[in-house]
Amino acid sequence: MGVTAARVRWGGAAVTLGVISSDAAVGRMKVSGTSPSYPGLYRCVQTASEVPNAILDLASAEFPETWQTSDMVSAMVAVDEAYELLVAVEKAGWVVPKDHPDVVPAAEAGRLADLMRVLIEDKETLTHPAEFADMLRESSSLASAIEEALVAGGAVREQLSESFARITTLCKDCHVKYRN
């Protein structure tokens, strides 16, 4: 579970248990650095309400030891990890970041491309309009181009950054339409 999701779940649970108000939980999310780019996450906490103890007492105390996320969720977590490493690579000038000497820029671009490509055929993707897969396809193609340019050497940083900016735009647009 990502840090942002953990913050929201804590906030929603705290409101439900009467530990904190919705407004205070939203304030805590902001202080913790939860991005305003996720209106759905904020809405979860804003619409949460306290549940009386009598109702909570009726709930089962049996909780699974583990939770299996969907393939889409697991893939998107991996996408986010690769994307964040590429953010660091871009900031370093499209070379290995000094604070991440273990990162191989071309490999991270390739990983991002592969993850997006595999998601195109995911069963959950197939439930969305064709535009969803089109966004994944374009992102995969752009990430592949970044990978190829990094492997070939002599890549123009501005072109790499333009391609990466387009991936960022596609991700944000997709989240607005299909996630939030």
Side-chain angles (χ1 to χ4, degrees):
M1 167 176 25
V3 174
T4 300
R7 288 179 188 143
V8 171
R9 289 185 181 138
W10 172 87
V15 172
T16 300
L17 296 172
V19 174
I20 192 171
S21 70
S22 288
D23 289 341
V26 167
R28 183 68 204 146
M29 288 171 62
K30 291 177 181 176
V31 166
S32 297
T34 304
S35 173
S37 297
Y38 297 107
L41 297 178
Y42 277 93
R43 197 167 34 257
C44 287
V45 173
Q46 290 168 331
T47 61
S49 59
E50 184 176 352
V51 174
N53 284 336
I55 301 293
L56 291 174
D57 290 342
L58 296 174
S60 170
E62 296 295 319
F63 294 101
E65 290 181 23
T66 62
W67 179 261
Q68 184 62 43
T69 59
S70 71
D71 291 343
M72 173 73 74
V73 170
S74 295
M76 285 300 178
V77 168
V79 163
D80 187 56
E81 290 168 352
Y83 176 87
E84 289 301 323
L85 288 172
L86 283 172
V87 167
V89 166
E90 180 185 30
K91 286 182 182 175
W94 293 102
V95 297
V96 176
K98 287 185 170 109
D99 58 339
H100 283 287
D102 56 327
V103 170
V104 178
E108 291 307 323
R111 182 165 71 120
L112 183 61
D114 289 345
L115 288 163
M116 296 285 194
R117 182 181 46 77
V118 168
L119 276 169
I120 293 166
E121 299 300 323
D122 182 81
K123 63 184 175 194
E124 196 171 330
T125 298
L126 300 175
T127 67
H128 292 296
E131 178 190 39
F132 186 84
D134 291 343
M135 290 176 163
L136 289 168
R137 194 172 289 106
E138 184 178 351
S139 294
S140 177
S141 177
L142 289 163
S144 287
I146 291 171
E147 176 189 23
E148 290 170 14
L150 290 170
V151 168
V156 178
R157 291 179 183 178
E158 292 78 21
Q159 290 173 339
L160 295 172
S161 292
E162 285 175 19
S163 293
F164 194 56
R166 177 65 183 149
I167 292 171
T168 300
T169 298
L170 287 163
C171 289
K172 287 181 179 181
D173 290 350
C174 188
H175 282 199
V176 167
K177 287 184 176 185
Y178 301 107
R179 179 179 174 186
N180 295 332

